[in-house]
Amino acid sequence: MAKKRRPQSQAAAPQIKDGEVPVVGAREPCPCGSGRRYKACHGRAAAHAATALVQRPFEGLPGECDWVALRELVPAATAELTLKGGLPEGVPSVTLATVLPMAWPALRRDNGAIMLGLQNDTASGDLSRDLADILQRALTAEPGTPVPAARTAPDGPRLQDLLDADAAFEPTVHTGFEFWVENPENATGEVAASLERANAAAIPTARIPGLEGAYWCEAPDKNHLRWVTGYPEEQLLDALARLHVAGATSLGENTRLVGSFRAHGLVVPVWDLPSSMSADDVAEPAAAFAERLAKALAEDAPLSPEERRARGGLTNRQVTLS
């Protein structure tokens, strides 16, 4: 009897590296050629990578607090990025943008400049790795094309590997999305209509000078100050409780610290402000509060019973965005 031959499809199946294995259906054969189903082979690692959350994806980057604010709070802003080793030939600049048209992950302009979108859904639990993958693909994209979404390799570089850690991170807040196009004053037709719709939905927002991560925004009934802080959470909550009991959390008449939320591993205190209080009006009292907070953070005495109750109230009103 002739020896049973191995099916040709399996014998010739190519072996691919992990980073090259495409996504297929869970019950389909894994494209790596192992002969197992995708869910039992490379799909298992992909599922793990998608659920393993990095709590502070921007930790170690200059301006971590502003990165979080631009991701979660600010509708329209840009910031120039500096790559390690400088820009490749044909790439005049790399700009981070809060959001891009059609929610594109990135865009390579006609002149070769790159815009990297920050407010996008990502496939893995490491936002820094996802953005680094998008940036790398944008660097090799054809000029005049958007960069599509794609699955990120679990062992790929992170933003911390690609960006210059010594370069300043200085966001510019915009009143609208004219930065989407190179010559917005000449926009017509659907481009002009898209800009008008996007601008109408943007909440007026301003950065508070001198306070990293602090942003004023205008709302219909009241304004707000939202300050992304880089302090350890337990230490910050203790300090806020001390200041609350001392009556020192106010930013002026009819202002109130209403609570805080967590975003990407950082705590964001929030104040209600009267609708008449502008960003310029809140800048000086916010700076004065920052000084009071620094002193409270330096205290290490145990909290009093009243301060513990205040801290409990702050904790109960805290929510997590991401």
Side-chain angles (χ1 to χ4, degrees):
M1 181 182 294
K3 185 181 293 186
K4 188 174 181 179
R5 297 182 63 186
R6 187 179 180 184
Q8 182 67 23
S9 60
Q10 290 187 19
Q15 297 294 321
I16 348 181
K17 297 179 181 179
D18 289 358
E20 301 173 349
V21 178
V23 177
V24 297
R27 299 177 65 83
E28 294 182 41
C30 186
C32 75
S34 66
R36 292 181 291 173
R37 290 178 177 176
Y38 180 69
K39 68 176 183 179
C41 191
H42 281 84
R44 180 181 300 172
H48 176 74
T51 57
L53 179 65
V54 175
Q55 295 292 338
R56 289 179 62 179
F58 307 119
E59 185 176 13
L61 290 174
E64 179 187 6
C65 298
D66 282 315
W67 276 89
V68 173
L70 266 57
R71 167 75 182 185
E72 301 295 339
L73 308 178
V74 183
T78 56
E80 296 303 309
L81 299 180
T82 304
L83 305 186
K84 289 182 178 178
L87 294 169
E89 184 178 354
V91 180
S93 63
V94 176
T95 303
L96 182 74
T98 47
V99 67
L100 294 175
M102 309 296 292
W104 288 328
L107 171 66
R108 183 87 184 268
R109 291 194 184 279
D110 291 336
N111 66 354
I114 290 170
M115 299 200 76
L116 177 67
L118 183 56
Q119 296 178 10
N120 288 306
D121 293 333
T122 54
S124 82
D126 187 350
L127 181 56
S128 176
R129 197 179 306 280
D130 291 332
L131 289 169
D133 176 73
I134 295 166
L135 175 55
Q136 284 192 310
R137 290 190 288 117
L139 291 169
T140 59
E142 288 294 322
T145 60
V147 177
R151 181 165 68 90
T152 305
D155 57 350
R158 309 178 73 238
L159 287 174
Q160 290 82 346
D161 301 317
L162 302 182
L163 301 183
D164 186 348
D166 296 324
F169 184 77
E170 292 291 339
T172 299
V173 178
H174 303 277
T175 57
F177 296 92
E178 282 74 16
F179 61 85
W180 282 353
V181 293
E182 295 184 67
N183 299 297
E185 64 278 2
N186 298 327
T188 59
E190 182 56 34
V191 173
S194 296
L195 280 175
E196 185 176 353
R197 288 192 298 268
N199 290 346
I203 296 174
T205 302
R207 189 182 184 207
I208 304 302
L211 291 182
E212 181 185 335
Y215 290 81
W216 168 96
C217 71
E218 181 182 307
D221 299 323
K222 62 186 72 173
N223 298 338
H224 304 283
L225 176 68
R226 298 177 290 187
W227 183 14
V228 184
T229 64
Y231 302 113
E233 181 174 348
E234 298 302 315
Q235 185 182 0
L236 177 63
L237 291 176
D238 282 353
L240 291 175
R242 296 181 197 277
L243 293 174
H244 177 78
V245 171
T249 57
S250 172
L251 300 178
E253 187 177 357
N254 296 324
T255 68
R256 185 167 69 97
L257 175 65
V258 292
S260 64
F261 58 86
R262 296 186 196 90
H264 302 289
L266 301 183
V267 179
V268 187
V270 179
W271 285 262
D272 280 351
L273 311 173
S275 56
S276 59
M277 195 171 199
S278 68
D280 290 338
D281 295 333
V282 80
E284 186 175 339
F289 173 80
E291 293 179 3
R292 299 195 297 272
L293 179 61
K295 293 178 181 178
L297 287 165
E299 295 186 34
D300 57 4
L303 296 179
S304 68
E306 191 176 6
E307 289 167 344
R308 286 198 299 272
R309 286 193 295 272
R311 190 187 191 285
L314 288 168
T315 303
N316 291 337
R317 296 196 300 274
Q318 191 177 64
V319 296
T320 301
L321 291 186
S322 55

